[in-house]
Amino acid sequence: MLGVIVFAHGSRDPLWRLPVESVAQQIARSDPAAAVSCAYLELCEPDIATAARQMVEGGATRVRVLPLFFGMGKHAREDLPVLMKDLQEAHPTVRFEQLPAAGEDPRLTALLAQIALEPAP
């Protein structure tokens, strides 16, 4: 079973989480068979270890982590690979896959450019 963790930095502001949760909801609508969860580096719960453990306990055998970072900064480049290694060690029978930072996808940058050029509502 596929699991997807939408991974973001985290914030104390509860409204900050809404777009992150919206991405997770859209993934779940697109693939109802996939387990989908949000996880946060800090300031919010669950952390990535908790989200992964819950997915594995629910039957996930493959977990993709989508980092919702605009670029490959320190968190995506340094912190997340360490967390991914820890996940793999904690769940050796599960395949973990770190996707590129969302902002590194040319489809997202093209969409943002399109949005910037659209007439204001």
Side-chain angles (χ1 to χ4, degrees), residues 46-108:
D47 62 13
I48 196 168
T50 301
R53 181 176 35 76
Q54 291 169 345
M55 281 190 176
V56 171
E57 288 173 354
T61 56
R62 181 172 151 234
V63 177
R64 302 183 89 199
V65 176
L66 172 63
L68 286 192
F69 298 110
F70 195 68
M72 285 299 293
K74 180 184 181 300
H75 293 315
R77 189 178 57 252
E78 296 176 19
D79 299 335
L80 184 53
V82 171
L83 294 170
M84 295 294 292
K85 181 178 179 268
D86 293 345
L87 293 177
Q88 192 62 71
E89 289 174 359
H91 309 282
T93 62
V94 176
R95 185 171 139 221
F96 288 92
E97 178 183 354
Q98 178 182 334
L99 300 172
E104 299 288 321
D105 190 316
R107 294 170 295 179
L108 179 60

